[in-house]
């Protein structure tokens, strides 16, 4: 497709389980961003990739969160030992170069930890 | 402390009214983005600007770098404009405001 695609669109998991969230950016976009948005809040930065490497991972809340982008396109956000507080919409965006080029957002993955 | 502050948080307008949403930021930036988020929907980028003013249809965005302030204006508002409007700035990463929820009543 032409836009940023995120899968799954919804994920319900039990506390303590491991989850993976996938982001397919726009083809050719070198920059990829992960954010999460809690109800009634603005998006919160998690991590920013430039190519295959994490240019800035300062937003990852703790070591249960990890993200990869091994070939510089698709990215996976991995959450270990999920907690109820991890419930949020996880948003992915991509841009052609970096933070100063227009970003295109996916529809998000709604994660619910029960 | 939030690096990006928006006002108002909530706004209700009658169809046809002129609407202004304000954004102030405290960090050094390279660019400012106005984003639109519909209920249950994803985020759409409306504008990216680093100086002056941009216009797209009924939407106008302005930025004053010296005052660290931006405004988003909607002329002749319509119910389909109802959404959350988010201001974001980019320095070394994105910083987001908490959004302005706009409801336009027919």
């Amino acid at each position: 497709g032409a836009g940023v695609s995120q899968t799954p669109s919804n994920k319900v998991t039990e506390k303590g389980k491991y989850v993976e969230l996938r982001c397919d950016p726009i083809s050719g976009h070198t920059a990829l961003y992960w954010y999460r948005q809690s109800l009634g809040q603005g998006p919160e930065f998690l991590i920013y990739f430039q190519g295959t490497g994490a240019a800035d991972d300062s937003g990852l809340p703790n070591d249960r969160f990890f993200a990869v982008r091994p070939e510089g396109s698709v990215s996976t956000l991995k959450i270990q030992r999920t907690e109820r507080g991890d419930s949020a919409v996880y948003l992915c965006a991509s841009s052609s170069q970096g933070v100063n080029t227009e970003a295109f957002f996916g529809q998000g993955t709604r994660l619910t930890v029960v | 402390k939030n690096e990006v502050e928006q006002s108002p948080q909530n706004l209700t307008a009658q169809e046809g009214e002129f609407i202004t949403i304000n954004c102030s930021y405290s960090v050094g930036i390279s660019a400012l983005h106005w984003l639109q988020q519909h209920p249950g929907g994803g985020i759409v980028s409306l504008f990216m600007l680093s100086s002056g003013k941009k216009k797209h249809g009924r939407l106008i965005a302005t930025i004053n770098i010296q005052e660290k302030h931006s405004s988003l204006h909607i002329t002749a508002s319509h119910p389909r404009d109802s959404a959350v409007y988010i201001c974001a700035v980019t320095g070394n990463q994105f910083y987001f405001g908490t959004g302005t929820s706009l409801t336009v009543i027919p």
Side-chain angles (χ1 to χ4, degrees):
Chain A
V4 178
S5 175
Q6 291 186 247
T7 55
S9 54
N10 281 284
K11 176 72 177 177
V12 180
T13 191
E14 290 182 350
K15 179 175 176 294
K17 298 289 189 184
Y18 168 83
V19 296
E20 290 190 353
L21 311 179
R22 176 185 168 110
C23 173
D24 282 84
I26 292 173
S27 178
H29 279 192
T30 61
L32 184 146
Y33 316 85
W34 282 101
Y35 304 92
R36 72 175 174 183
Q37 186 175 25
S38 300
L39 192 63
Q41 302 294 317
E44 171 192 13
F45 169 77
L46 296 176
I47 186 169
Y48 157 43
F49 286 93
Q50 187 64 256
T52 60
D56 185 344
D57 64 357
S58 62
L60 296 176
N62 51 60
D63 62 5
R64 296 186 297 106
F65 287 75
F66 190 70
V68 296
R69 195 185 185 201
E71 297 178 359
S73 56
V74 172
S75 177
T76 305
L77 178 66
K78 309 180 181 194
I79 310 174
Q80 298 177 318
R81 304 183 304 280
T82 51
E83 299 177 357
R84 292 197 178 89
D86 299 334
S87 297
V89 175
Y90 288 81
L91 295 164
C92 175
S94 71
S95 65
S96 60
Q97 294 179 39
V99 292
N100 297 321
T101 53
E102 185 178 7
F104 296 83
F105 287 79
Q107 292 290 311
T109 293
R110 182 175 298 279
L111 175 66
T112 304
V113 182
V114 297
Chain B
K1 179 185 177 294
N2 201 358
E3 291 84 356
V4 182
E5 300 282 351
Q6 285 185 238
S7 63
Q9 281 191 301
N10 294 282
L11 181 57
T12 300
Q14 291 288 332
E15 183 174 358
E17 284 187 5
F18 180 83
I19 289 162
T20 296
I21 300 170
N22 295 300
C23 174
S24 296
Y25 54 92
S26 58
V27 294
I29 70 167
S30 302
L32 183 143
H33 305 251
W34 280 102
L35 311 170
Q36 181 191 56
Q37 186 172 35
H38 284 276
I43 292 176
V44 174
S45 176
L46 299 174
F47 294 104
M48 185 184 77
L49 64 165
S50 55
S51 65
K53 175 179 169 179
K54 285 192 175 179
K55 183 176 189 294
H56 184 241
R58 295 180 294 105
L59 302 178
I60 303 166
T62 64
I63 187 169
N64 184 319
I65 297 293
Q66 288 73 31
E67 295 184 3
K68 294 189 173 182
H69 181 269
S70 175
S71 293
L72 176 68
H73 305 287
I74 305 175
T75 62
S77 59
H78 190 275
R80 65 174 174 265
D81 297 328
S82 298
V84 174
Y85 292 83
I86 301 171
C87 172
V89 299
T90 52
N92 59 334
Q93 55 161 285
F94 273 91
Y95 299 92
F96 291 87
T98 54
T100 295
S101 179
L102 171 66
T103 303
V104 181
I105 300 170

